[in-house]
Amino acid sequence: MGNIAAFLLALAIVALVIEMLRRKKLREKYAVLWLIVGVATLVLAAFPRLLNIVAEYVGVQIPSNLLFAMSILMLLGVCLHLSWEISVVEDETRTLAEEVAILRTQLESLEQHRHLSALDTARPDPVATPLPAPHPSHLPDSRPNPLPDSHLNPLPGAAAPAGMHTTDRPADSSDS
């Protein structure tokens, strides 16, 4: 009865590992180890005398002690392998974090440069783009006034027009 339970357990382990491989939940390099464990358990469950033969050959008095010793060695090997994998992944993560930081700095620098370039193109450069000459109708009239101040008071000694005081017009040199 014990052999049937061990055989079913080993069969369940093999089926679980194959299903995890099929769904891409377990990588192949880890699946190989678990498939070896499952197949070895299947073989030992199918042929229980095999463990006794191997124990006698190795020199272990109790076959279950050999099974425990092999299991402990396998678990130590798995722990060592996973520690090595974690170290590799940690180094890769550190390298990637450094590269991301460098790329982020370069991106921010490029965005700042592009923003400054956009501001420079938005406002005209006074040296590079001179302003167009104004139309003559917009210029102040620099010609001399054709009408002298005498048009305000055409005749000397005549009365000033209504609302205009005599102090409003400039003094003539002839008035003094």
Side-chain angles (χ1 to χ4, degrees), residues 89-161:
V89 169
E90 185 178 300
D91 289 341
E92 289 175 354
T93 303
R94 182 179 299 115
T95 302
L96 287 174
E98 291 170 354
E99 289 176 1
V100 166
I102 290 169
L103 289 173
R104 183 177 294 141
T105 303
Q106 290 175 345
L107 180 64
E108 289 172 356
S109 174
L110 286 173
E111 286 177 350
Q112 184 180 16
H113 179 71
R114 185 172 27 159
H115 179 69
L116 290 177
S117 295
L119 289 177
D120 286 344
T121 57
R123 63 175 175 223
D125 187 9
V127 175
T129 54
L131 293 175
H135 192 271
S137 64
H138 296 293
L139 291 175
D141 195 10
S142 60
R143 294 177 294 166
N145 190 357
L147 298 175
D149 286 340
S150 61
H151 76 280
L152 296 176
N153 195 358
L155 296 174

Side-chain angles (χ1 to χ4, degrees), residues 10-11 13-14 32-46:
L11 197 59
I13 290 173
V14 171
V32 170
L33 176 66
W34 291 111
L35 286 174
I36 290 172
V37 168
V39 169
T41 308
L42 275 174
V43 170
L44 288 176

Side-chain angles (χ1 to χ4, degrees), residues 149 152-153 160-172:
D149 286 340
L152 296 176
N153 195 358
M164 185 170 180
H165 300 289
T166 55
T167 56
D168 288 339
R169 63 184 175 108
D172 280 71

Side-chain angles (χ1 to χ4, degrees), residues 41-119:
T41 308
L42 275 174
V43 170
L44 288 176
F47 306 103
R49 295 284 305 149
L50 186 60
L51 186 60
N52 290 335
I53 295 170
V54 173
E56 284 177 22
Y57 181 75
V58 175
V60 177
Q61 292 180 353
I62 302 173
S64 61
N65 286 349
L66 177 63
L67 186 60
F68 287 132
M70 289 184 346
S71 298
I72 289 171
L73 286 175
M74 187 205 64
L75 290 175
L76 285 175
V78 168
C79 287
L80 181 63
H81 179 74
L82 291 178
S83 296
W84 174 70
E85 288 283 334
I86 287 174
S87 296
V88 169
V89 169
E90 185 178 300
D91 289 341
E92 289 175 354
T93 303
R94 182 179 299 115
T95 302
L96 287 174
E98 291 170 354
E99 289 176 1
V100 166
I102 290 169
L103 289 173
R104 183 177 294 141
T105 303
Q106 290 175 345
L107 180 64
E108 289 172 356
S109 174
L110 286 173
E111 286 177 350
Q112 184 180 16
H113 179 71
R114 185 172 27 159
H115 179 69
L116 290 177
S117 295
L119 289 177

